[in-house]
Amino acid sequence: MNKIIQLRDKTFHLYIESGEIDRAIARLARQINEEAKDERPLFLSVLNGAFMFTSDLLKEITVEGAEVAFIRLASYAGTASTGEVRELVGLTDDVAGRSVIILEDIVDTGRSIAHLLDLLSPRRPARVRVAALFHKPGALEYSVTVDYPGIVLENDFVVGRGLDYDGLGRNLRDLYALAP
Ligand code: IMP
Ligand code: MG
């Protein structure tokens, strides 16, 4: 296994091996299987980053009636007065009255999740919970709760398991951190 990798101009070192990540995912799946067993949950996977977490987690989900949908938070430059505008793209399922479990690759400042929760609430889901493969509690700037945190990280920039640096590194099985 390569312990140092180079992605464009940056060097990353091996940080968390895949076995540990797999065990964290299995633990999250057990929790969700127990807590959502009568809820026919709708998993909302936030692309691009959550694609691999979604695939790994869903294979371990055994609750009846589980469904998965893929969404994206698109940002585009708004007018000068509104600044950045974010829009929820791809949600065609009716979430009204449903138990929704958001799947995110990582919660860093919490901005994306806070925004997503705001965009979902007018659609009246019965319940919304958040599962994030990685969580950096030290970087949180928004008041959001990660109901199912996989692995807690320091405030390092990481790649692998769906997370990228400038489009690269998503395919890595292990997690790598930016070398100090
Ligand atoms: P937040 O809105 O600050 O919580 O960050 C959410 C998004 O930023 C994540 O879904 C990732 O796409 C990206 N992100 C945050 N931290 C990292 C990291 O360490 N590596 C790669 N992407 C990250
Ligand atoms: Mg993301």
Side-chain angles (χ1 to χ4, degrees):
M1 179 192 319
N2 200 353
K3 295 198 186 285
I4 300 280
I5 55 163
Q6 182 77 23
L7 298 175
R8 301 200 202 283
D9 57 323
K10 304 239 185 294
T11 305
F12 293 82
H13 61 87
L14 182 63
Y15 188 40
I16 298 175
E17 292 196 44
S18 80
E20 187 177 340
I21 302 171
D22 292 337
R23 284 190 291 279
I25 294 172
R27 174 176 47 76
L28 294 184
R30 282 195 299 274
Q31 271 178 274
I32 294 170
N33 284 333
E34 181 55 35
E35 292 174 22
K37 62 173 176 287
D38 303 315
E39 298 182 8
R40 310 183 75 82
L42 172 63
F43 291 90
L44 285 188
S45 171
V46 186
L47 295 174
N48 292 325
F51 78 96
M52 201 179 283
F53 173 43
T54 302
S55 169
D56 292 338
L57 181 83
L58 266 284
K59 281 176 281 193
E60 312 290 332
I61 292 295
T62 55
V63 297
E64 210 185 306
E67 289 178 60
V68 60
F70 296 87
I71 59 170
R72 179 188 288 280
L73 277 175
S75 14
Y76 54 92
T79 64
S81 57
T82 55
E84 194 196 16
V85 181
R86 301 195 95 190
E87 191 191 3
L88 180 55
V89 180
L91 185 56
T92 52
D93 298 65
D94 185 8
V95 303
R98 298 218 46 188
S99 181
V100 170
I101 301 178
I102 296 170
L103 302 183
E104 256 288 20
D105 51 359
I106 189 166
V107 173
D108 185 35
T109 65
R111 182 172 188 269
S112 307
I113 284 291
H115 209 92
L116 179 53
L117 294 172
D118 284 348
L119 292 168
L120 279 177
S121 85
R123 295 169 183 251
R124 300 270 164 245
R127 181 171 190 188
V128 182
R129 278 168 288 183
V130 176
L133 180 54
F134 301 107
H135 182 23
K136 298 181 194 168
L140 260 191
E141 291 174 21
Y142 291 76
S143 107
V144 293
T145 303
V146 180
D147 304 276
Y148 302 110
I151 296 180
V152 168
L153 303 179
E154 301 295 320
N155 289 352
D156 301 301
F157 186 81
V158 293
V159 293
R161 284 292 174 130
L163 291 148
D164 71 304
Y165 166 57
D166 200 14
L168 296 179
R170 292 195 197 274
N171 54 305
L172 296 164
R173 183 182 290 272
D174 304 298
L175 196 73
Y176 287 78
L178 191 59

